[in-house]
Amino acid sequence: METPVDLTVGDLHASVDDPALNSMNFLNEVAQHYPDAVSLAAGRPYEEYFDVAALHRWLDRFHRHLVEDQGLGPEQVRRTLLQYGRTKGIVHHLVARNLAVDEGITADPEAVVVTVGCQEGMFLVLRALRTGPRDVLLAVAPTYVGLTGAARLVDLPVRPVAGGPAGVDLADLAEQVRRARAEGLRPRACYVMPDFANPSGISMDTAHRRRLLESAAEAELLLVEDNPYGLFPVGDADRPPTLKALDTERRVVYLGSFAKSVLPGARVGYVLADQRVAAPDGSVGLLADQLAKIKSMVTVNTSPIAQAVIGGRLLEHGCSLAGANTRERAAYARNLRHLLDGLARRFPPDRFPGVSWTAPAGGFFVVVTVPFGVDDALLHRSAQEYGVLWTPMAHFYDDGAVVNALRLSISAVTPAQIDLGLDRLAKLVADEVAALVGGGADWPR
Amino acid sequence: METPVDLTVGDLHASVDDPALNSMNFLNEVAQHYPDAVSLAAGRPYEEYFDVAALHRWLDRFHRHLVEDQGLGPEQVRRTLLQYGRTKGIVHHLVARNLAVDEGITADPEAVVVTVGCQEGMFLVLRALRTGPRDVLLAVAPTYVGLTGAARLVDLPVRPVAGGPAGVDLADLAEQVRRARAEGLRPRACYVMPDFANPSGISMDTAHRRRLLESAAEAELLLVEDNPYGLFPVGDADRPPTLKALDTERRVVYLGSFAKSVLPGARVGYVLADQRVAAPDGSVGLLADQLAKIKSMVTVNTSPIAQAVIGGRLLEHGCSLAGANTRERAAYARNLRHLLDGLARRFPPDRFPGVSWTAPAGGFFVVVTVPFGVDDALLHRSAQEYGVLWTPMAHFYDDGAVVNALRLSISAVTPAQIDLGLDRLAKLVADEVAALVGGGADWPR
């Protein structure tokens, strides 16, 4: 029997057929299809310390905050938690305190928009900035696929800026701005992840952050700073300040996430957008308020119940998530060291001359370069025949080219799983290299 | 000191300066500015039965469902509730049961996308349907402002279709489709609220619903059915079936909300999109899956914690929200009767010949027509001088024209507040009419 069809993909917005939107779907499907494969692909946070009972405790803690610190009566409390509410959120003051305590950022709570995860924040910013077909976004490549996907939804082209070893190549940034303007285009902002970037793992040092701010000022360009991994350095050395902490002229729109520092299931993140926006009537307000207008037509407001969960967690630790994540940070550091040691042990340079990897100082991701192309077909084969999942780096570039690299994640695994996954990966790499140099060759041994 | 400015509204997407996006902001600001005014404006649900403690109970109930009905172990439970999760949601099966129990709709759970409130569902559908500048949306006028606002975000023009006494004027629908096509435009869908529409209060009868489906089939047009108020009829008469229940050829995309039937603070709604979509590779999937791809770049997934709250509430009542809302339904019915009686008492036709109002059989809203223009300035004056808030009907039309009507809401007030609000409204109307017929005239007496 013929399957009846009501629409074709061509009847729908082009984004639904775009690699950026299909990428996550594809990776999720592979993971579901091979549930027994070890996943060095998933970038989700460590689960061992997750506790469903904590939800109740955090809800109660925030409830108490409403009563004791804000002086709300029972009717106001239930209205705050259960009704429609403030578009910009109800934990904005706690977010601002968290930014002060953990990041040295002085944030006006009114400049904070609490969003449905960082993803909604990203979407709101891109929707606001894209006014017409001349607008483009710059983004350090390789780029988080959620950024590229959100840009697709608003028909905003993303132009890559070379990342390089320092995290962003400032000469290329200037060149990309120049080139876009020469083409009559308007670069609206440059997206950067200065701390343990996804997927590169690279962090910018403080001097480079300052130079990036200077370059952005020269180019009259906004910076969109995304910082989901900053709390997770391996060592105890001082973390470099965020761009936003160094930003003296409101050049940085800062995206925050609680997915890794509290839990993904609350779907709570935020945008700090303190830029001053002049209205036609001469009044001047905050970019946050313009983003809130857009938000009111996307999700109305972020669930106050979900916000209360995050608020309770923040309150339990004096609004320090660095403090709240001591155990998690130790686990990630242990895993990252274990992965790097394991790579060194399994891929000695004399036997694997074409294999190398990054050595990030924190975060969730390591990029392994190999002497062969890494595509989705290879991932399928890796899952099916070798039992290990990872992410082809091609997913983080927007040009469809094959890339000789893959991303490994350390966040949702145990050291034992890392060992097993690396053993399997080593076998895959050895087999691929052997096939490269001719079947039956004894290199690598 | 001059206020420094970083951007102008003109540097941002046109939606942020659009009346549709500013409308809700304006109404919220007026309400905040006059907290002592009686609000016959707010369409939020009745709060008297809200109970913060129920959050814990519902979370626990859904938790038990995961363990007992789905057989999940502790690790799977915490992963389900606290991690990233299925883009289409985790209460889709309960939504499908609810649709079967309360609405007689047979829904494939896979065709359900659980969204961050109905608003996100609306946004996803419009984003999917808007492919280029030839696309337009039809909507029965007056139209819910959240629909118009979401359309603005994707640059999708909304063309009004006359509502008329039957809920939608089918001749005008055909004419609008014809006219749009003659202009080279592509009407993608018609948005309708067949049950106690916001703001008109009108419900379509069953025969008219069938005719609407036939008209849509003739015009080869999708229908987007929004049904937030269907559960709240005044009497015990059988509710007419939803369009989706009558839809035999997948012509209806159905938007559902739990804001009124459970609570707004969960921000959980859904889209039922069972349309079959052919991909370029020849495979056929559900429109729901295309919407989910878009959702993955807007909010990733709907908070499983918020979904669990709704899921627990559904499970407590065998997935019947009609059953769960017995008290609420009685309160709304009482309030609606009280408002209609109060209008009749205060505006006798002999003394107020130019004043009339709708008499909805349910829902939250009554429209009052008056013999003078009702604009935002009058609302300000009403709030400040008379102490009563309502909504100018002009907010529900997209052409900026002044309308001689206002919307009253019965959902978030007590009968005593209705009396007080109507007393104040009657005074305002009398004064406006007196001003119309010349200061000092003794009509109306």
Side-chain angles (χ1 to χ4, degrees):
Chain A
M1 202 185 84
E2 204 189 355
T3 309
V5 163
D6 307 308
L7 292 161
T8 72
V9 162
D11 293 326
L12 303 176
H13 185 248
S15 60
V16 302
D17 202 31
D18 191 274
L21 273 81
N22 285 312
S23 169
M24 281 204 193
N25 253 23
F26 167 79
L27 297 170
N28 286 334
E29 274 168 22
V30 173
Q32 278 163 25
H33 202 77
Y34 302 101
D36 297 330
V38 173
S39 179
L40 298 174
R44 46 173 209 262
Y46 200 59
E47 287 171 8
E48 197 186 317
Y49 307 127
F50 276 3
D51 176 12
V52 175
L55 291 181
H56 298 283
R57 196 175 77 232
W58 295 337
L59 278 172
D60 287 340
R61 182 67 191 81
F62 187 74
H63 190 154
R64 194 145 58 79
H65 170 67
L66 293 179
V67 174
E68 294 177 6
D69 302 337
Q70 301 198 348
L72 302 194
E75 286 184 23
Q76 291 166 303
V77 166
R78 76 182 181 195
R79 181 171 299 166
T80 302
L81 291 176
L82 306 180
Q83 270 289 13
Y84 293 106
R86 186 172 175 277
T87 309
K88 291 195 288 184
I90 59 168
V91 296
H92 52 305
H93 57 299
L94 302 179
V95 168
R97 272 157 63 183
N98 167 245
L99 286 170
V101 171
D102 280 344
E103 306 294 349
I105 295 172
T106 306
D108 174 2
E110 286 298 323
V112 173
V113 185
V114 182
T115 53
V116 180
C118 182
Q119 186 67 34
E120 192 196 21
M122 216 173 266
F123 175 80
L124 297 177
V125 171
L126 300 189
R127 172 64 297 176
L129 291 178
R130 200 278 189 183
T131 65
R134 289 178 50 225
D135 295 324
V136 296
L137 180 74
L138 303 177
V140 171
T143 309
Y144 171 54
V145 71
L147 185 275
T148 315
R152 288 292 185 278
L153 292 189
V154 297
D155 301 307
L156 179 64
V158 180
R159 297 191 149 205
V161 172
V168 55
D169 178 331
L170 297 176
D172 193 52
L173 174 61
E175 171 60 16
Q176 294 303 331
V177 171
R178 192 200 60 71
R179 210 179 284 178
R181 286 180 181 153
E183 291 173 42
L185 301 174
R186 188 159 75 141
R188 297 306 315 264
C190 182
Y191 171 84
V192 291
M193 209 187 281
D195 294 85
F196 316 126
N198 179 6
S200 75
I202 292 171
S203 279
M204 298 179 199
D205 67 27
T206 305
H208 202 68
R209 290 171 195 239
R210 290 191 195 280
R211 284 191 294 269
L212 171 57
L213 283 165
E214 284 162 21
S215 298
E218 276 163 33
E220 296 182 64
L221 197 65
L222 281 176
L223 296 173
V224 178
E225 177 178 29
D226 189 6
N227 185 20
Y229 307 106
L231 285 180
F232 307 112
V234 168
D236 285 325
D238 278 351
R239 294 164 48 210
T242 59
L243 287 178
K244 191 62 196 167
L246 298 171
D247 176 29
T248 54
E249 41 178 42
R250 300 182 302 278
R251 191 158 295 286
V252 178
V253 175
Y254 184 87
L255 299 172
S257 167
F258 294 114
K260 280 77 185 181
S261 53
V262 183
L263 51 84
R267 307 302 313 122
V268 175
Y270 60 91
V271 190
L272 171 61
D274 58 2
Q275 287 68 29
R276 303 189 65 85
V277 180
D281 67 4
S283 65
V284 176
L286 293 166
L287 179 57
D289 289 303
Q290 304 295 333
L291 299 178
K293 279 192 226 168
I294 298 176
K295 178 174 172 62
S296 73
M297 295 300 162
V298 179
T299 57
V300 184
N301 59 320
T302 302
S303 167
I305 300 167
Q307 290 186 71
V309 166
I310 298 298
R313 172 68 159 164
L314 283 165
L315 287 161
E316 266 193 356
H317 290 269
C319 289
S320 170
L321 289 173
N325 278 280
T326 315
R327 291 183 306 177
E328 288 79 1
R329 184 170 145 175
Y332 294 136
R334 175 202 66 198
N335 282 0
L336 185 53
R337 283 201 204 93
H338 198 81
L339 184 90
L340 293 171
D341 291 350
L343 284 167
R345 213 163 38 245
R346 287 170 184 86
F347 298 104
D350 56 326
R351 288 184 48 210
F352 290 91
V355 178
S356 63
W357 53 90
T358 57
F364 288 10
F365 307 113
V366 170
V367 177
V368 180
T369 300
V370 291
F372 48 85
V374 176
D375 59 12
D376 290 349
L378 185 65
L379 171 59
H380 261 299
R381 210 138 54 72
S382 177
Q384 184 160 26
E385 296 174 22
Y386 296 85
V388 60
L389 297 169
W390 34 263
T391 310
M393 279 294 286
H395 283 261
F396 302 100
Y397 293 91
D398 206 19
D399 56 6
V402 173
V403 181
N404 282 17
L406 52 91
R407 189 196 74 176
L408 301 181
S409 171
I410 57 86
S411 59
V413 279
T414 60
Q417 287 171 314
I418 291 174
D419 282 333
L420 189 59
L422 285 184
D423 284 344
R424 294 172 176 185
L425 178 69
K427 191 157 174 1
L428 168 75
V429 171
D431 288 352
E432 286 298 304
V433 170
L436 259 189
V437 300
D442 66 350
W443 181 94
R445 283 163 291 213
Chain B
M1 202 184 83
E2 204 188 353
T3 309
V5 164
D6 306 307
L7 292 162
T8 73
V9 162
D11 293 325
L12 304 176
H13 186 248
S15 59
V16 302
D17 202 30
D18 191 274
L21 273 82
N22 285 313
S23 169
M24 280 204 194
N25 252 24
F26 167 78
L27 297 171
N28 285 335
E29 275 168 22
V30 174
Q32 278 163 26
H33 202 77
Y34 301 102
D36 297 331
V38 173
S39 179
L40 298 174
R44 47 173 208 263
Y46 200 59
E47 286 171 9
E48 197 185 319
Y49 307 126
F50 276 3
D51 177 11
V52 174
L55 291 180
H56 298 281
R57 197 176 75 233
W58 295 336
L59 278 172
D60 287 340
R61 181 67 190 81
F62 186 75
H63 189 154
R64 196 145 58 78
H65 170 67
L66 293 178
V67 174
E68 294 177 6
D69 303 336
Q70 301 199 346
L72 303 193
E75 286 185 21
Q76 290 167 303
V77 167
R78 76 183 181 195
R79 182 173 298 165
T80 301
L81 291 176
L82 305 180
Q83 269 290 12
Y84 293 106
R86 186 172 175 276
T87 308
K88 291 195 287 184
I90 59 168
V91 295
H92 53 304
H93 57 299
L94 302 179
V95 169
R97 273 157 62 183
N98 168 245
L99 286 170
V101 170
D102 280 344
E103 306 294 350
I105 295 172
T106 306
D108 174 3
E110 286 299 322
V112 172
V113 185
V114 182
T115 53
V116 180
C118 183
Q119 187 67 34
E120 192 196 21
M122 215 173 269
F123 175 80
L124 297 177
V125 171
L126 300 188
R127 171 64 297 177
L129 290 179
R130 200 279 189 182
T131 65
R134 288 178 50 225
D135 295 324
V136 296
L137 181 74
L138 303 178
V140 171
T143 310
Y144 170 54
V145 70
L147 185 275
T148 314
R152 288 292 184 278
L153 292 189
V154 298
D155 301 308
L156 180 64
V158 180
R159 295 190 151 206
V161 172
V168 55
D169 179 330
L170 297 176
D172 193 53
L173 174 61
E175 172 60 16
Q176 294 303 332
V177 170
R178 194 199 57 73
R179 208 178 285 177
R181 286 181 179 150
E183 291 172 43
L185 301 175
R186 189 159 73 142
R188 297 308 313 266
C190 182
Y191 171 83
V192 291
M193 210 185 281
D195 294 86
F196 317 126
N198 179 7
S200 75
I202 292 172
S203 279
M204 298 179 199
D205 66 27
T206 305
H208 203 67
R209 290 171 196 239
R210 291 192 194 279
R211 285 192 293 269
L212 171 57
L213 283 165
E214 284 161 22
S215 297
E218 276 163 33
E220 296 183 62
L221 198 66
L222 282 175
L223 296 173
V224 178
E225 177 178 28
D226 189 5
N227 185 18
Y229 308 107
L231 284 181
F232 306 112
V234 167
D236 284 325
D238 278 351
R239 295 164 47 211
T242 60
L243 287 177
K244 191 63 195 167
L246 299 171
D247 177 28
T248 54
E249 42 180 40
R250 300 182 303 279
R251 190 158 295 285
V252 178
V253 175
Y254 183 88
L255 299 172
S257 167
F258 295 114
K260 280 76 185 181
S261 53
V262 183
L263 52 84
R267 306 303 313 122
V268 176
Y270 60 92
V271 189
L272 171 61
D274 59 2
Q275 287 68 30
R276 303 188 64 84
V277 180
D281 67 3
S283 65
V284 176
L286 293 166
L287 179 58
D289 290 303
Q290 303 295 334
L291 298 179
K293 279 192 224 167
I294 298 176
K295 178 173 172 63
S296 74
M297 295 300 164
V298 179
T299 58
V300 183
N301 59 321
T302 301
S303 166
I305 300 167
Q307 291 185 71
V309 166
I310 299 298
R313 172 67 159 165
L314 283 165
L315 288 160
E316 267 192 356
H317 290 269
C319 288
S320 170
L321 290 173
N325 278 280
T326 314
R327 290 183 306 177
E328 287 79 0
R329 185 171 146 176
Y332 294 136
R334 174 202 68 197
N335 281 0
L336 186 52
R337 283 201 205 93
H338 198 80
L339 183 89
L340 293 172
D341 291 350
L343 285 167
R345 213 163 38 245
R346 286 171 185 83
F347 298 103
D350 56 326
R351 287 184 50 210
F352 290 91
V355 178
S356 63
W357 52 90
T358 57
F364 288 10
F365 307 113
V366 170
V367 176
V368 180
T369 301
V370 290
F372 48 85
V374 175
D375 59 13
D376 290 351
L378 185 65
L379 171 58
H380 261 300
R381 211 139 53 72
S382 177
Q384 183 159 26
E385 297 174 21
Y386 297 85
V388 60
L389 297 168
W390 34 263
T391 311
M393 279 295 286
H395 284 260
F396 303 100
Y397 294 90
D398 205 20
D399 56 6
V402 173
V403 181
N404 283 17
L406 52 92
R407 189 196 75 176
L408 301 181
S409 170
I410 56 86
S411 59
V413 280
T414 61
Q417 288 172 315
I418 291 173
D419 282 333
L420 189 58
L422 286 184
D423 284 345
R424 294 172 177 184
L425 178 68
K427 190 157 175 0
L428 167 76
V429 171
D431 288 352
E432 287 298 305
V433 169
L436 258 190
V437 300
D442 66 350
W443 184 93
R445 282 165 291 216

